[in-house]
Amino acid sequence: MTTSGADIVELDRIAVQESLRVLAIAQPADWDRDTPCAGWTLRQLAAHMTAQHHGFAAAARGAGRVAAHWREPAAYRSDPGQAYRSAVQTVLAAFAEPGVTEREFDLPELGSSFPGRVAVGFHFIDYVVHAWDAAVSLGIGLELPGSALEAAAAVARRVPADPAGRGPGFAFAPALEVPSGSDPLTEALRLLGRDPDAWPSAR
């Protein structure tokens, strides 16, 4: 399995669909649950995920520099689940367009533009991690195939671990030590600053 070309688009689709499955389980009272994203409730995490879908979809279509596409929609306050479902449809349609991995994506939050293959890889690893964030917040397990988890670990190994680019204000917390023999999901999470032992699934 590689993480280039059509493969990364399919891997991203799998991760995004899993995030959709997880958030569909949330009941009204669940949106105020804490998540592994420090200071964020599940509602705030879903709002971030929704905004990122719209932003990446815009970037795939050449409009990534338009700030409005990256803003959290007001609808997330009243119906975060519906807002998220709509955003998923938008980003998956954009990424399914022919030649998307050969385009340049403007990603203002990262301060640069990136080849589509790389940009979709960023989106993929984000949604593996955020699907896990949402799942453990709800006390459920993550259901991703081994191929997606192995790819996530491979991508996580390539994320720069320089402490100057980790922590508050950055995409990921400082990397944690990965115990020998860790499974791919644990490896990916710990490399990206998540501690699975602190958030065991409850059911």
Side-chain angles (χ1 to χ4, degrees):
M1 173 64 68
T2 67
T3 52
S4 62
D7 287 340
I8 192 59
V9 173
E10 175 61 10
L11 288 167
D12 181 79
R13 184 192 68 78
I14 290 169
V16 170
Q17 290 285 15
E18 175 61 0
S19 73
L20 181 62
R21 180 193 72 84
V22 169
L23 286 176
I25 293 169
Q27 299 299 307
D30 291 328
W31 297 110
D32 293 325
R33 287 174 178 253
D34 291 333
T35 72
C37 297
W40 280 3
T41 63
L42 186 61
R43 185 187 302 274
Q44 291 167 313
L45 173 61
H48 167 77
M49 294 164 71
T50 297
Q52 289 290 301
H53 282 329
H54 285 300
F56 269 84
R61 292 167 170 159
R65 291 189 181 276
V66 179
H69 293 306
W70 298 92
R71 293 185 189 131
E72 295 174 354
Y76 87 84
R77 296 185 180 89
S78 58
D79 193 346
Q82 176 54 40
Y84 191 69
R85 288 191 293 274
S86 176
V88 164
Q89 293 174 356
T90 297
V91 76
L92 292 185
F95 283 7
E97 292 174 2
V100 71
T101 56
E102 282 72 55
R103 301 176 190 170
E104 283 289 311
F105 284 46
D106 285 320
L107 301 178
E109 291 183 350
L110 298 180
S112 187
S113 63
F114 298 87
R117 173 183 55 79
V118 175
V120 176
F122 292 158
H123 192 262
F124 162 66
I125 193 62
D126 256 5
Y127 283 84
V128 170
V129 173
H130 285 327
W132 178 84
D133 289 334
V136 297
S137 176
L138 291 166
I140 63 174
L142 196 63
E143 297 178 5
L144 285 172
S147 58
L149 297 176
E150 289 164 9
V155 173
R157 290 182 206 118
R158 296 198 293 270
V159 175
D162 183 351
R166 296 289 192 103
F170 294 97
F172 300 112
L176 303 176
E177 182 180 352
V178 179
S180 176
S182 293
D183 62 83
L185 177 58
T186 297
E187 179 182 1
L189 292 171
R190 292 186 69 84
L191 286 173
L192 299 175
R194 298 290 201 275
D195 181 4
D197 293 335
W199 290 85
S201 295
R203 52 185 162 96

